[in-house]
Amino acid sequence: MEVNDYIRRTLRIIDQLAPKISPKYLPIVRDAAGAGAWDLAITTLVGAVWEEGVVITTAEKDALRELMEYLQEPLTRLEQIRTSD
């Protein structure tokens, strides 16, 4: 994945999952993305979904997995996130 694709995918998954996470984390995720701190935005998003027990689709989880792998971040929390399908 090239960096521009990574940024597009990051923005897309943030938009998809934003309605599912609480206002506690949403400003952090959006501010990080707005500042170009894509790694912080994605890791915070995964942490929020995990901590809040948000159920996401398999496609959303796969998208997060690709982004986390791109960042070479551990997948421990991501693997614990439940999917709805």
Side-chain angles (χ1 to χ4, degrees), residues 2 4-5 7 12 17-19 23 26 29 32 34 36 39 45 47 50 61 63 68 71 74-75 83:
E2 56 121 347
N4 289 331
D5 190 36
I7 293 168
R12 185 173 32 236
L17 296 180
L26 186 56
V29 172
D39 55 340
L45 181 60
W50 173 78
K61 189 171 182 175
M68 291 289 282
L71 294 172
L75 303 175
T83 56

Side-chain angles (χ1 to χ4, degrees), residues 13-34 40-41 44-45 48-49 52:
I13 197 67
I14 289 171
D15 286 343
Q16 281 180 261
L17 296 180
K20 298 181 181 185
I21 62 173
S22 74
K24 175 181 175 183
Y25 292 106
L26 186 56
I28 299 167
V29 172
R30 291 224 186 262
D31 288 348
L40 178 60
T44 303
L45 181 60
V49 170
E52 295 179 336

